[in-house]
Amino acid sequence: MMVRTHWDVLIVDDDPDMLAISRLALKHVRVYGIPLKVHECTNKADAVKFLKATAELSDLSAAIIDVVMETEHAGLDVCKFIREDLNNRVTPIVVRTGQPGKAPEREVIERYDISTYLTKVEATNEKLYATVVNAVRHHEYVRFNEGFFMFMAQFIPVSETRESIVRGIPEVVKAVLRRRDGSPLEYYGCHFCLLIDDDAIAIGKFAGQEDEARALRDRLSKEPSQVINASGDRFMRAGNHVLISHAATGDTPAFDLVGETNYNPMPDYTLRMWATFAQCVSDLILVAEKRR
């Protein structure tokens, strides 16, 4: 369902050795099978310039910021810029400092909404690895849920008829996956086909390939499966192709959600959320049909 090219991580530090150590520690890190793209800045001015320029171009998954650089509070100024000027409350910020007395841990965490506080003595390669991986995972959890609720908020008002539902889903998905200026996100995409009765709602690579999606559904249904929620929905995977399948129960028709993803593994919460999405669409179609 989701395809992503990389996770953007920003490191702000004026110490060349710390940058080199961080670069080496994070070089081969992958989160859900997807690599990091590390950006480096050596002072407050460069960090602010980078953040301004990329605020609409990337989805910053984590920021590792030194406190004392050209001034004793330069790093904290960057933290403040992220939280207040950019109004970004989602990106996890890791404060890493060699002078903890200049920035007391409790005060920094509370004032700047910091996710993790590390002294440079504590920031070993293993600690940095664990901190960044957990930060990226947390960020993806928050952003995925935000995206889901944003989609539903825009989709439900236009779901009055079966036809409007089938037509509206691709339009709303495209709208959600765009920047404010209307340009698409290059680093993230959705590719799926929702099969309900005779309807096929196709997005991304599956648009215009509905018959191929049905054939893929039939092949994937033969793969080993796992139950992903209390409704008994099942998940199957072969390579980058995935299937979430729901058996008919009572008035609720069966549905199959076929997709492509490079997340490996797919987090459990995304499987449950995609199943919820498909169930919501199925329920809305059922309600629309009963209105007729």
Side-chain angles (χ1 to χ4, degrees):
M1 285 62 163
M2 314 99 69
V3 173
R4 190 180 188 108
T5 59
H6 62 272
W7 310 102
D8 285 294
V9 175
L10 172 64
I11 302 177
V12 185
D13 203 308
D14 64 348
D15 185 339
D17 291 337
M18 290 305 299
L19 289 174
I21 291 170
S22 301
R23 199 181 307 125
L24 182 63
L26 301 177
K27 184 177 181 180
H28 299 295
V29 173
R30 289 176 173 264
V31 182
Y32 301 128
I34 300 166
L36 307 182
K37 184 175 182 179
V38 177
H39 309 270
E40 298 176 359
C41 294
T42 58
N43 54 61
K44 169 188 169 182
D46 287 348
V48 169
K49 182 178 180 181
F50 170 83
L51 289 163
K52 283 182 178 179
T54 60
E56 281 295 313
L57 299 179
S58 69
D59 191 10
L60 192 60
S61 299
I64 305 169
I65 302 174
D66 184 19
V67 174
V68 180
M69 293 183 286
E70 65 271 29
T71 68
E72 292 185 353
H73 51 76
L76 297 181
D77 290 343
V78 176
C79 297
K80 182 179 179 181
F81 181 80
I82 292 172
R83 294 296 188 234
E84 297 182 9
D85 294 70
L86 295 181
N87 195 29
N88 179 345
R89 299 284 172 178
V90 177
T91 296
I93 297 177
V94 179
V95 163
R96 181 174 60 177
T97 180
Q99 302 181 50
K102 302 290 185 182
E105 182 173 359
R106 180 171 295 187
E107 178 183 338
V108 168
I109 288 175
E110 291 182 355
R111 182 173 180 184
Y112 299 98
D113 192 15
I114 301 303
S115 303
T116 306
Y117 182 103
L118 295 174
T119 66
K120 290 189 176 180
V121 174
E122 296 174 315
T124 63
N125 285 4
E126 289 302 311
K127 186 69 172 180
L128 188 61
Y129 165 84
T131 298
V132 171
V133 169
N134 286 332
V136 172
R137 286 176 176 171
H138 176 74
H139 178 261
E140 174 64 359
Y141 176 82
V142 173
R143 294 293 286 144
F144 183 85
N145 281 277
E146 277 188 346
F148 176 80
F149 289 114
M150 187 185 303
F151 170 84
M152 294 307 295
Q154 295 185 38
F155 170 62
I156 290 176
V158 298
S159 58
E160 296 182 355
T161 66
R162 189 183 196 106
E163 293 74 19
S164 67
I165 292 170
V166 173
R167 183 178 62 252
I169 290 178
E171 295 174 356
V172 175
V173 169
K174 287 179 182 178
V176 170
L177 296 180
R178 288 183 180 274
R179 304 189 186 95
R180 293 173 191 170
D181 64 4
S183 59
L185 303 176
E186 291 89 358
Y187 61 88
Y188 189 87
C190 280
H191 307 284
F192 66 83
C193 185
L194 177 57
L195 303 169
I196 304 176
D197 294 333
D198 294 329
D199 291 315
I201 305 170
I203 305 293
K205 293 181 179 180
F206 289 95
Q209 306 294 321
E210 289 80 2
D211 289 340
E212 288 80 354
R214 290 187 175 93
L216 179 59
R217 183 265 316 273
D218 295 340
R219 293 198 300 273
L220 287 171
S221 65
K222 300 174 183 177
E223 296 291 329
S225 66
Q226 67 179 86
V227 176
I228 59 175
N229 56 25
S231 299
D233 296 340
R234 306 193 71 86
F235 172 72
M236 290 138 274
R237 179 167 191 160
N240 283 351
H241 291 125
V242 296
L243 169 66
I244 293 175
S245 186
H246 175 81
T249 54
D251 290 337
T252 304
F255 63 74
D256 294 296
L257 184 62
V258 182
E260 179 178 320
T261 183
N262 63 341
Y263 284 60
N264 192 13
M266 284 184 72
D268 288 345
Y269 66 84
T270 64
L271 298 179
R272 293 191 295 270
M273 198 66 83
W274 278 110
T276 299
F277 156 76
Q279 185 67 69
C280 287
V281 174
S282 177
D283 290 345
L284 287 168
I285 288 176
L286 187 63
V287 171
E289 289 296 291
K290 287 181 176 180
R291 289 199 194 108
R292 290 186 169 182

